[in-house]
Amino acid sequence: MTEAERATRLLPVDALVDALPRVDLDPHQARLLVTGRAVRGQEAASVGLIRVYGPQQAFLGVAEVRPPDLIVARRLLAQAVCTGATGGCK
């Protein structure tokens, strides 16, 4: 099997949590969540585990909604760190 054929058979990483409700965060909320802070989530209609997405629909990981509307990170993917004007991402 060629590399291109193998790539077509790969599923996106968020396929594992596809059954969880999806919540999209704005850039500010996403930044807070990936740095370990809880965020208020007006969209989060139910309590429990959710999958969270940041800017450009990037999958951030799994979070938990706690009453009344608090979103707390549970397991997040490593995110690239960009230094802005210097142009470097790690």
Coordinates of all heavy atoms in Angstrom, one line a residue:
M1 N 0.8 -1.2 0.0 CA 0.0 0.0 0.0 C 0.9 1.2 0.0 O 1.8 1.3 0.8 CB -0.9 0.0 1.3 CG -1.9 1.1 1.3 SD -3.0 1.1 2.8 CE -3.7 -0.5 2.8
T2 N 0.6 2.2 -0.9 CA 1.4 3.4 -0.9 C 1.0 4.3 0.2 O 0.0 4.2 0.9 CB 1.1 4.1 -2.3 OG1 -0.2 4.7 -2.2 CG2 1.3 3.2 -3.5
E3 N 1.9 5.3 0.4 CA 1.6 6.3 1.5 C 0.3 7.1 1.3 O -0.4 7.3 2.2 CB 2.8 7.3 1.6 CG 2.8 8.1 2.8 CD 4.0 8.9 3.0 OE1 5.1 8.5 2.6 OE2 3.9 10.0 3.6
A4 N 0.1 7.4 0.0 CA -1.2 8.1 -0.3 C -2.4 7.2 0.0 O -3.4 7.8 0.6 CB -1.2 8.5 -1.8
E5 N -2.3 6.0 -0.2 CA -3.5 5.1 0.1 C -3.6 4.9 1.6 O -4.8 4.9 2.1 CB -3.2 3.7 -0.5 CG -3.3 3.7 -2.0 CD -2.9 2.3 -2.6 OE1 -1.9 1.7 -2.1 OE2 -3.4 1.9 -3.7
R6 N -2.5 4.9 2.3 CA -2.6 4.8 3.8 C -3.3 6.1 4.3 O -4.1 6.0 5.2 CB -1.2 4.6 4.4 CG -0.7 3.2 4.2 CD 0.5 3.0 5.1 NE 1.6 3.9 4.9 CZ 2.6 3.6 4.1 NH1 2.8 2.4 3.6 NH2 3.6 4.5 3.9
A7 N -2.9 7.2 3.8 CA -3.4 8.5 4.3 C -4.9 8.6 4.1 O -5.6 9.2 4.9 CB -2.7 9.6 3.6
T8 N -5.5 8.0 3.0 CA -6.9 8.0 2.8 C -7.7 7.2 3.8 O -8.9 7.4 4.0 CB -7.3 7.6 1.4 OG1 -6.9 6.2 1.2 CG2 -6.6 8.5 0.3
R9 N -7.0 6.3 4.4 CA -7.7 5.4 5.4 C -7.6 5.9 6.8 O -8.3 5.4 7.7 CB -7.1 4.0 5.4 CG -7.3 3.3 4.0 CD -6.7 2.0 4.0 NE -6.8 1.4 2.7 CZ -7.5 0.3 2.4 NH1 -8.2 -0.3 3.3 NH2 -7.5 -0.1 1.2
L10 N -6.9 7.0 7.1 CA -6.8 7.6 8.4 C -8.0 8.4 8.7 O -8.5 9.1 7.9 CB -5.5 8.5 8.5 CG -4.2 7.8 8.4 CD1 -3.1 8.8 8.4 CD2 -4.0 6.8 9.6
L11 N -8.5 8.3 10.0 CA -9.6 9.1 10.5 C -9.0 10.3 11.2 O -7.9 10.2 11.8 CB -10.4 8.2 11.4 CG -11.2 7.1 10.8 CD1 -11.9 6.3 11.9 CD2 -12.2 7.5 9.8
P12 N -9.7 11.4 11.3 CA -9.3 12.5 12.1 C -9.3 12.1 13.6 O -10.1 11.3 14.0 CB -10.3 13.6 11.8 CG -11.5 12.9 11.2 CD -11.0 11.6 10.6
V13 N -8.4 12.7 14.3 CA -8.3 12.4 15.7 C -9.6 12.6 16.5 O -9.9 11.8 17.4 CB -7.1 13.2 16.4 CG1 -7.4 14.6 16.5 CG2 -6.8 12.6 17.7
D14 N -10.4 13.5 16.1 CA -11.7 13.7 16.8 C -12.7 12.7 16.5 O -13.8 12.7 17.1 CB -12.2 15.2 16.7 CG -12.4 15.5 15.2 OD1 -11.9 14.8 14.3 OD2 -13.2 16.5 15.0
A15 N -12.5 11.8 15.6 CA -13.4 10.7 15.3 C -13.7 9.9 16.6 O -14.7 9.3 16.7 CB -12.9 9.9 14.2
L16 N -12.7 9.8 17.4 CA -12.8 9.0 18.7 C -13.9 9.5 19.6 O -14.4 8.8 20.4 CB -11.5 8.9 19.4 CG -10.4 8.2 18.7 CD1 -9.0 8.4 19.4 CD2 -10.7 6.7 18.6
V17 N -14.2 10.8 19.5 CA -15.1 11.4 20.5 C -16.3 12.0 19.7 O -17.0 12.9 20.2 CB -14.4 12.5 21.4 CG1 -13.5 11.8 22.3 CG2 -13.7 13.5 20.5
D18 N -16.6 11.5 18.5 CA -17.6 12.1 17.7 C -19.0 12.0 18.3 O -19.9 12.8 18.0 CB -17.6 11.3 16.4 CG -18.4 12.0 15.3 OD1 -18.3 13.3 15.2 OD2 -19.1 11.4 14.5
A19 N -19.2 11.1 19.3 CA -20.5 11.0 19.9 C -20.8 12.1 20.9 O -21.9 12.3 21.3 CB -20.7 9.6 20.6
L20 N -19.7 12.8 21.4 CA -19.9 13.8 22.4 C -20.4 15.1 21.7 O -20.1 15.4 20.5 CB -18.5 14.2 23.0 CG -17.9 13.0 23.8 CD1 -16.5 13.5 24.4 CD2 -18.8 12.6 25.0
P21 N -21.2 15.9 22.4 CA -21.7 17.2 21.9 C -20.5 18.1 21.5 O -19.5 18.1 22.2 CB -22.5 17.8 23.0 CG -22.8 16.7 23.9 CD -21.7 15.7 23.8
R22 N -20.6 18.9 20.5 CA -19.6 19.8 20.0 C -19.8 21.2 20.5 O -21.0 21.7 20.4 CB -19.5 19.8 18.5 CG -18.5 20.7 17.9 CD -18.6 20.8 16.4 NE -17.7 21.8 15.9 CZ -16.9 21.6 14.9 NH1 -16.8 20.5 14.3 NH2 -16.1 22.6 14.6
V23 N -18.8 21.8 21.0 CA -18.9 23.2 21.4 C -17.7 24.0 20.7 O -16.6 23.6 20.8 CB -18.8 23.4 22.9 CG1 -18.7 24.9 23.3 CG2 -20.0 22.8 23.6
D24 N -18.0 25.0 20.0 CA -17.0 25.9 19.4 C -16.7 27.1 20.2 O -17.6 27.8 20.7 CB -17.5 26.3 18.0 CG -17.6 25.2 17.0 OD1 -16.5 24.7 16.6 OD2 -18.7 24.7 16.7
L25 N -15.4 27.3 20.5 CA -15.0 28.4 21.3 C -14.5 29.6 20.5 O -13.9 29.3 19.4 CB -13.9 28.0 22.3 CG -14.3 26.8 23.2 CD1 -13.1 26.4 24.1 CD2 -15.5 27.2 24.1
D26 N -14.6 30.8 20.9 CA -14.0 31.9 20.2 C -12.5 31.9 20.6 O -12.1 31.2 21.5 CB -14.7 33.2 20.5 CG -14.6 33.6 22.0 OD1 -13.5 33.5 22.6 OD2 -15.6 34.2 22.5
P27 N -11.7 32.7 19.9 CA -10.2 32.7 20.1 C -9.9 33.0 21.6 O -9.0 32.3 22.1 CB -9.7 33.7 19.2 CG -10.7 33.8 18.0 CD -12.0 33.5 18.7
H28 N -10.6 33.9 22.2 CA -10.3 34.2 23.6 C -10.6 33.0 24.5 O -9.8 32.7 25.4 CB -11.0 35.5 24.0 CG -10.8 35.8 25.5 ND1 -9.6 36.3 25.9 CD2 -11.6 35.8 26.5 CE1 -9.7 36.5 27.2 NE2 -10.9 36.2 27.6
Q29 N -11.7 32.4 24.4 CA -12.1 31.3 25.2 C -11.1 30.1 25.0 O -10.7 29.5 25.9 CB -13.5 30.8 24.8 CG -14.6 31.7 25.3 CD -15.9 31.3 24.7 OE1 -16.1 30.9 23.6 NE2 -16.9 31.2 25.6
A30 N -10.8 29.9 23.7 CA -9.8 28.8 23.4 C -8.5 29.0 24.1 O -7.9 28.1 24.7 CB -9.6 28.7 21.9
R31 N -8.0 30.3 24.1 CA -6.7 30.6 24.7 C -6.8 30.3 26.2 O -5.9 29.7 26.8 CB -6.3 32.0 24.4 CG -4.9 32.4 24.8 CD -4.5 33.8 24.4 NE -5.1 34.3 23.1 CZ -6.1 35.2 23.0 NH1 -6.6 35.8 24.1 NH2 -6.5 35.6 21.9
L32 N -7.9 30.7 26.8 CA -8.0 30.5 28.2 C -8.1 29.0 28.6 O -7.4 28.5 29.5 CB -9.3 31.2 28.8 CG -9.3 32.7 28.8 CD1 -10.7 33.2 29.2 CD2 -8.2 33.2 29.7
L33 N -8.8 28.2 27.8 CA -9.0 26.8 28.0 C -7.7 26.1 27.9 O -7.3 25.2 28.8 CB -10.0 26.2 27.1 CG -10.5 24.8 27.5 CD1 -11.3 24.9 28.8 CD2 -11.3 24.2 26.4
V34 N -6.9 26.4 26.9 CA -5.6 25.6 26.6 C -4.6 26.0 27.6 O -3.5 25.3 27.8 CB -5.1 25.7 25.2 CG1 -6.1 25.2 24.2 CG2 -4.7 27.1 24.8
T35 N -4.8 27.1 28.4 CA -3.8 27.5 29.4 C -4.3 27.1 30.8 O -3.8 27.6 31.8 CB -3.5 29.0 29.4 OG1 -4.7 29.7 29.5 CG2 -2.8 29.4 28.1
G36 N -5.3 26.2 30.8 CA -5.8 25.7 32.1 C -6.9 26.4 32.8 O -7.2 26.1 34.0
R37 N -7.4 27.4 32.2 CA -8.5 28.2 32.9 C -9.9 27.7 32.4 O -10.0 27.4 31.2 CB -8.3 29.7 32.6 CG -7.0 30.1 33.2 CD -6.7 31.6 33.1 NE -7.7 32.4 33.8 CZ -7.9 33.7 33.6 NH1 -7.1 34.3 32.7 NH2 -8.8 34.3 34.2
A38 N -10.8 27.8 33.3 CA -12.2 27.4 32.9 C -12.8 28.6 32.2 O -12.4 29.8 32.4 CB -13.0 27.1 34.1
V39 N -13.8 28.4 31.3 CA -14.4 29.4 30.6 C -15.9 29.3 30.7 O -16.4 28.2 30.9 CB -14.0 29.5 29.1 CG1 -12.5 29.7 28.9 CG2 -14.4 28.2 28.4
R40 N -16.6 30.4 30.5 CA -18.1 30.4 30.5 C -18.5 30.0 29.1 O -18.0 30.5 28.1 CB -18.7 31.7 30.8 CG -18.4 32.2 32.2 CD -19.4 31.6 33.2 NE -19.0 31.9 34.6 CZ -19.3 31.2 35.6 NH1 -19.9 30.1 35.4 NH2 -18.9 31.6 36.8
G41 N -19.5 29.1 29.0 CA -19.9 28.6 27.7 C -21.4 28.7 27.5 O -22.2 27.9 28.0
Q42 N -21.8 29.8 26.9 CA -23.3 30.0 26.7 C -23.9 28.9 25.8 O -25.0 28.5 25.9 CB -23.5 31.3 26.0 CG -22.8 32.5 26.6 CD -23.0 32.7 28.1 OE1 -23.9 32.1 28.7 NE2 -22.2 33.5 28.8
E43 N -23.1 28.3 24.9 CA -23.6 27.2 24.0 C -23.8 25.9 24.7 O -24.5 25.1 24.2 CB -22.5 27.0 22.9 CG -22.4 28.0 21.8 CD -21.5 27.6 20.8 OE1 -21.6 26.5 20.3 OE2 -20.6 28.4 20.4
A44 N -23.1 25.7 25.8 CA -23.1 24.4 26.4 C -24.4 24.1 27.1 O -24.7 24.6 28.2 CB -21.9 24.3 27.5
A45 N -25.3 23.4 26.4 CA -26.6 23.2 26.9 C -26.7 22.1 27.9 O -27.6 22.1 28.7 CB -27.5 22.9 25.7
S46 N -25.8 21.1 27.9 CA -25.9 20.0 28.8 C -24.7 19.9 29.7 O -23.6 20.4 29.4 CB -26.1 18.7 28.0 OG -25.0 18.5 27.2
V47 N -24.8 19.2 30.8 CA -23.7 19.0 31.7 C -23.1 17.7 31.3 O -23.8 16.7 30.9 CB -24.2 19.0 33.2 CG1 -23.1 18.5 34.1 CG2 -24.8 20.3 33.5
G48 N -21.7 17.6 31.4 CA -21.0 16.4 31.0 C -19.9 16.6 30.1 O -19.5 17.8 29.9
L49 N -19.4 15.6 29.5 CA -18.3 15.7 28.5 C -18.7 16.3 27.2 O -19.8 16.0 26.7 CB -17.6 14.3 28.3 CG -16.9 13.7 29.6 CD1 -16.4 12.4 29.2 CD2 -15.9 14.6 30.1
I50 N -17.8 17.1 26.6 CA -18.0 17.7 25.3 C -16.7 17.6 24.5 O -15.6 17.5 25.1 CB -18.5 19.1 25.4 CG1 -17.5 20.0 26.2 CG2 -19.9 19.2 26.0 CD1 -17.8 21.5 26.2
R51 N -16.8 17.8 23.2 CA -15.6 18.0 22.4 C -15.5 19.5 22.1 O -16.5 20.1 21.8 CB -15.5 17.1 21.2 CG -16.7 17.2 20.3 CD -16.7 16.0 19.3 NE -18.1 16.0 18.7 CZ -18.3 16.3 17.4 NH1 -17.3 16.5 16.6 NH2 -19.5 16.3 17.0
V52 N -14.3 20.1 22.2 CA -14.2 21.5 22.0 C -13.3 21.8 20.8 O -12.3 21.1 20.6 CB -13.7 22.2 23.3 CG1 -14.7 22.3 24.4 CG2 -12.4 21.6 23.8
Y53 N -13.7 22.9 20.1 CA -13.0 23.3 19.0 C -12.7 24.8 19.1 O -13.5 25.6 19.7 CB -13.8 23.1 17.7 CG -14.1 21.7 17.4 CD1 -15.0 21.0 18.1 CD2 -13.3 21.0 16.5 CE1 -15.2 19.6 17.8 CE2 -13.5 19.6 16.2 CZ -14.4 19.0 16.9 OH -14.6 17.6 16.6
G54 N -11.5 25.2 18.6 CA -11.1 26.6 18.7 C -11.2 27.3 17.3 O -11.9 26.8 16.4
P55 N -10.3 28.3 17.1 CA -10.3 29.0 15.9 C -10.0 28.1 14.7 O -9.3 27.1 14.8 CB -9.2 30.1 16.1 CG -9.1 30.2 17.5 CD -9.4 28.9 18.1
Q56 N -10.6 28.4 13.6 CA -10.4 27.6 12.3 C -10.9 26.2 12.5 O -10.4 25.3 11.9 CB -9.0 27.7 11.8 CG -8.6 29.0 11.2 CD -8.1 30.0 12.2 OE1 -7.4 29.6 13.2 NE2 -8.5 31.2 12.1
Q57 N -11.8 26.0 13.4 CA -12.4 24.7 13.7 C -11.4 23.6 14.1 O -11.5 22.4 13.9 CB -13.2 24.2 12.5 CG -14.2 25.2 12.1 CD -15.5 24.6 11.6 OE1 -15.6 23.4 11.5 NE2 -16.4 25.5 11.2
A58 N -10.3 24.1 14.8 CA -9.3 23.2 15.2 C -9.7 22.4 16.5 O -10.2 23.0 17.4 CB -8.0 24.0 15.6
F59 N -9.6 21.1 16.4 CA -10.0 20.3 17.6 C -9.0 20.5 18.7 O -7.8 20.3 18.6 CB -10.0 18.8 17.2 CG -10.4 17.8 18.3 CD1 -11.6 17.9 19.0 CD2 -9.5 16.9 18.6 CE1 -11.9 17.1 20.0 CE2 -9.8 16.0 19.7 CZ -11.0 16.1 20.3
L60 N -9.6 20.9 19.9 CA -8.7 21.2 21.0 C -8.6 20.0 22.0 O -7.6 19.8 22.6 CB -9.2 22.4 21.8 CG -9.3 23.7 21.0 CD1 -9.9 24.8 21.9 CD2 -7.9 24.1 20.5
G61 N -9.7 19.3 22.1 CA -9.8 18.1 23.0 C -11.1 17.9 23.6 O -12.1 18.3 23.1
V62 N -11.1 17.3 24.8 CA -12.3 17.0 25.5 C -12.4 17.9 26.8 O -11.4 18.0 27.5 CB -12.3 15.5 25.9 CG1 -13.6 15.2 26.8 CG2 -12.3 14.6 24.7
A63 N -13.5 18.4 27.0 CA -13.8 19.2 28.2 C -15.0 18.8 28.9 O -15.7 17.9 28.4 CB -13.9 20.7 27.8
E64 N -15.3 19.3 30.1 CA -16.5 19.0 30.8 C -17.3 20.2 31.1 O -16.7 21.3 31.5 CB -16.1 18.3 32.2 CG -17.2 17.9 33.0 CD -16.7 17.3 34.3 OE1 -15.5 17.2 34.6 OE2 -17.6 16.8 35.0
V65 N -18.6 20.2 31.0 CA -19.5 21.3 31.3 C -20.0 21.0 32.7 O -20.5 20.0 33.0 CB -20.7 21.4 30.4 CG1 -21.6 22.5 30.8 CG2 -20.2 21.6 28.9
R66 N -19.7 22.0 33.6 CA -20.2 21.9 35.0 C -21.2 23.0 35.2 O -21.1 24.1 34.6 CB -19.0 22.1 35.9 CG -18.0 21.0 35.8 CD -16.9 21.1 36.8 NE -15.9 20.1 36.6 CZ -14.7 20.1 37.2 NH1 -14.3 21.1 37.9 NH2 -13.9 19.1 37.0
P67 N -22.2 22.8 36.0 CA -23.3 23.8 36.3 C -22.6 25.1 36.8 O -21.7 25.0 37.6 CB -24.2 23.1 37.3 CG -23.9 21.7 37.2 CD -22.5 21.5 36.8
P68 N -23.1 26.2 36.5 CA -24.3 26.4 35.6 C -23.8 26.4 34.1 O -24.5 25.9 33.3 CB -24.8 27.8 36.0 CG -23.6 28.5 36.5 CD -22.7 27.5 37.1
D69 N -22.7 27.0 33.8 CA -22.3 27.0 32.3 C -20.8 27.1 32.2 O -20.2 27.7 31.3 CB -22.9 28.2 31.6 CG -22.5 29.5 32.1 OD1 -21.8 29.5 33.2 OD2 -22.8 30.5 31.5
L70 N -20.1 26.4 33.1 CA -18.6 26.4 33.1 C -18.0 25.3 32.3 O -18.4 24.1 32.5 CB -18.1 26.3 34.6 CG -16.8 26.8 34.9 CD1 -16.6 28.3 34.6 CD2 -16.5 26.6 36.4
I71 N -17.0 25.6 31.5 CA -16.3 24.6 30.7 C -14.9 24.5 31.2 O -14.2 25.4 31.3 CB -16.3 25.0 29.2 CG1 -17.7 25.1 28.6 CG2 -15.5 24.0 28.4 CD1 -17.8 25.6 27.2
V72 N -14.6 23.2 31.6 CA -13.3 22.9 32.2 C -12.6 21.8 31.4 O -13.2 20.8 31.0 CB -13.5 22.4 33.7 CG1 -12.2 22.1 34.3 CG2 -14.3 23.4 34.5
A73 N -11.3 22.1 31.0 CA -10.6 21.1 30.2 C -10.4 19.8 31.0 O -10.1 19.8 32.1 CB -9.2 21.7 29.9
R74 N -10.5 18.7 30.2 CA -10.3 17.4 30.8 C -9.0 16.8 30.1 O -8.1 16.4 30.8 CB -11.5 16.4 30.5 CG -12.7 16.8 31.4 CD -12.5 16.5 32.9 NE -12.3 15.1 33.2 CZ -13.2 14.2 33.5 NH1 -14.4 14.6 33.6 NH2 -12.9 13.0 33.7
R75 N -9.0 16.7 28.8 CA -7.9 16.2 28.0 C -7.7 17.0 26.7 O -8.7 17.0 25.9 CB -8.0 14.7 27.6 CG -8.1 13.7 28.7 CD -6.7 13.5 29.2 NE -6.7 12.5 30.3 CZ -5.8 12.4 31.2 NH1 -4.8 13.2 31.2 NH2 -5.9 11.5 32.1
L76 N -6.6 17.7 26.6 CA -6.4 18.6 25.4 C -5.2 18.1 24.6 O -4.3 17.5 25.1 CB -6.2 20.0 25.9 CG -7.3 20.7 26.7 CD1 -6.9 22.1 27.1 CD2 -8.6 20.7 25.9
L77 N -5.3 18.4 23.3 CA -4.2 18.1 22.4 C -3.1 19.2 22.6 O -3.5 20.3 22.9 CB -4.6 18.1 21.0 CG -5.7 17.0 20.6 CD1 -6.1 17.1 19.2 CD2 -5.1 15.6 20.9
A78 N -1.9 18.8 22.3 CA -0.8 19.8 22.4 C -1.1 20.8 21.2 O -1.5 20.5 20.1 CB 0.5 19.2 22.2
Q79 N -0.9 22.1 21.5 CA -1.1 23.2 20.6 C 0.2 23.8 20.2 O 1.1 23.9 21.0 CB -2.0 24.2 21.2 CG -3.4 23.7 21.7 CD -4.2 23.2 20.6 OE1 -4.4 23.8 19.5 NE2 -4.8 22.0 20.8
A80 N 0.3 24.3 18.9 CA 1.5 25.0 18.5 C 1.6 26.3 19.2 O 0.6 27.0 19.4 CB 1.4 25.2 17.0
V81 N 2.8 26.7 19.6 CA 3.0 28.0 20.2 C 3.6 28.9 19.2 O 4.7 28.6 18.7 CB 3.9 27.8 21.4 CG1 4.2 29.2 22.0 CG2 3.3 26.9 22.5
C82 N 2.9 30.0 18.8 CA 3.4 30.9 17.8 C 3.9 32.2 18.5 O 3.2 32.7 19.4 CB 2.4 31.2 16.8 SG 1.9 29.8 15.8
T83 N 5.0 32.7 18.1 CA 5.6 33.9 18.8 C 5.2 35.2 18.1 O 5.8 36.2 18.4 CB 7.1 33.8 18.9 OG1 7.6 33.6 17.6 CG2 7.5 32.6 19.8
G84 N 4.2 35.2 17.2 CA 3.8 36.4 16.6 C 4.7 37.0 15.6 O 5.1 36.4 14.6
A85 N 5.2 38.2 15.9 CA 6.0 39.0 14.9 C 7.3 38.3 14.5 O 7.8 38.5 13.4 CB 6.3 40.4 15.5
T86 N 7.9 37.4 15.4 CA 9.1 36.8 15.1 C 8.9 35.6 14.1 O 9.8 35.1 13.5 CB 9.8 36.2 16.3 OG1 8.9 35.3 17.0 CG2 10.2 37.4 17.2
G87 N 7.6 35.2 13.9 CA 7.2 34.3 12.9 C 7.5 32.8 13.2 O 7.3 31.9 12.4
G88 N 7.8 32.5 14.4 CA 8.1 31.1 14.7 C 7.0 30.4 15.5 O 6.4 30.9 16.3
C89 N 6.8 29.1 15.1 CA 5.8 28.2 15.8 C 6.6 27.0 16.2 O 7.4 26.5 15.4 CB 4.6 27.9 14.9 SG 3.5 29.2 14.6
K90 N 6.3 26.5 17.4 CA 6.9 25.3 17.9 C 5.9 24.2 18.1 O 4.8 24.5 18.5 CB 7.6 25.6 19.2 CG 8.7 26.7 19.1 CD 9.2 26.9 20.5 CE 10.0 28.2 20.5 NZ 10.5 28.6 21.8

